[in-house]
Amino acid sequence: MQFEQYVAALQQVKTLSPERERRLWQAYKEEGQSEARRLLIESYQPLVFKQAVPYRNLQNIMDIVQEGTIGLIEAVESYDPQRGVAFSLFAVHRIRGRMLNYLHKEGRVDVACMDARPADGGLTLKENLMDLSPSVTEQAESNELAARLHQAMERLPARERAVLESMYMQSEEAGDVAAGLQVSKSHIYRLQKNGIRRVRGMLSRFMQHW
């Protein structure tokens, strides 16, 4: 299937009403109905599309969509409706994580996230890392630093990495990230601060030998 065909197929997907969705989760989680599982995956496929949009010009876009769909399936299978967290917030991190892992392996992720400003208006990732070197603005555009940033992000604890990717790559609000990870908003800011500190430390050692 081509990306254009995928987009056209998505237009036929109908949004579930809250009651309909509740019944489907009940049928799948409590009764094990495979049809309910299929309908839930199908109805949330637009969430995969939303995460894939930034990469729509890449030749392997459908591979990225496929990885995101695997993440969606994993989220459907592990989601607990009794926790009271919206499924979309729970699933988006699995979907995005699958996509980013694939892109990292393919070497196709750039450092655009360094210039993205968080939804709360805070500093960009680049601005948070500015004390690495007086010329970091120019060096941040280099392929070598981009590769080092990818390596540093991959070495972060899972939650710190998820927070930085959510707030800088997707410009999500801290409250939404907190709901998706099922933690407090203050904890999200601690994870953000710790993640930036770790990345800064890893890149500063590299910059000393630039």
Side-chain angles (χ1 to χ4, degrees):
M1 179 184 292
Q2 299 297 319
F3 188 65
E4 293 76 12
Q5 295 174 308
Y6 170 70
V7 173
L10 285 180
Q11 296 176 356
Q12 307 301 316
V13 176
K14 296 181 180 179
T15 302
L16 295 173
S17 68
E19 179 59 25
R20 172 64 169 158
E21 182 172 350
R22 186 191 66 79
R23 291 199 303 268
L24 285 174
W25 281 118
Q26 182 178 14
Y28 172 47
K29 294 296 182 176
E30 298 180 13
E31 303 170 23
Q33 293 186 16
S34 59
E35 179 63 11
R37 173 182 177 276
R38 184 190 68 79
L39 288 172
L40 286 165
I41 294 170
E42 180 181 285
S43 66
Y44 273 101
Q45 190 63 222
L47 189 60
V48 175
F49 168 73
K50 181 179 179 181
Q51 299 304 311
V53 165
Y55 315 113
R56 62 187 179 277
N57 292 326
L58 297 181
Q59 289 184 347
N60 58 346
I61 179 59
M62 288 310 298
D63 292 328
I64 297 170
V65 168
Q66 183 177 2
E67 288 295 319
T69 300
I70 293 173
L72 173 61
I73 293 171
E74 292 175 342
V76 167
E77 292 176 346
S78 61
Y79 178 62
D80 181 0
Q82 303 303 317
R83 297 291 295 272
V85 177
F87 176 71
S88 59
L89 294 176
F90 175 82
V92 70
H93 297 287
R94 291 251 185 170
I95 294 169
R96 187 186 307 139
R98 273 282 185 173
M99 290 179 174
L100 289 174
N101 285 340
Y102 172 77
L103 287 165
H104 285 150
K105 291 177 182 177
E106 294 291 307
R108 300 299 299 272
V109 179
D110 58 31
V111 290
C113 63
M114 294 188 72
D115 291 304
R117 191 169 300 280
D120 61 6
L123 297 177
T124 67
L125 187 55
K126 180 189 291 184
E127 290 165 344
N128 273 302
L129 302 175
M130 281 296 289
D131 64 345
L132 291 177
S133 165
S135 58
V136 70
T137 302
E138 293 79 20
Q139 292 171 347
E141 302 300 327
S142 71
N143 290 334
E144 182 64 20
L145 183 55
R148 296 284 178 163
L149 175 62
H150 297 159
Q151 293 171 9
M153 292 287 283
E154 289 175 350
R155 291 170 60 189
L156 289 176
R159 288 202 165 191
E160 291 178 10
R161 176 181 171 184
V163 167
L164 294 187
E165 289 175 345
S166 297
M167 297 184 71
Y168 293 106
M169 295 185 70
Q170 302 297 326
S171 297
E172 290 188 22
E173 297 280 357
D176 292 337
V177 181
L181 292 178
Q182 302 178 19
V183 298
S184 67
K185 191 173 179 179
S186 62
H187 189 57
I188 289 298
Y189 286 125
R190 286 196 296 273
L191 290 171
Q192 178 193 27
K193 182 178 179 180
N194 290 341
I196 289 173
R197 188 187 72 246
R198 291 181 202 272
V199 171
R200 181 183 293 152
M202 287 184 275
L203 291 186
S204 64
R205 289 193 292 272
F206 157 69
M207 294 297 288
Q208 291 174 2
H209 303 288
W210 181 265

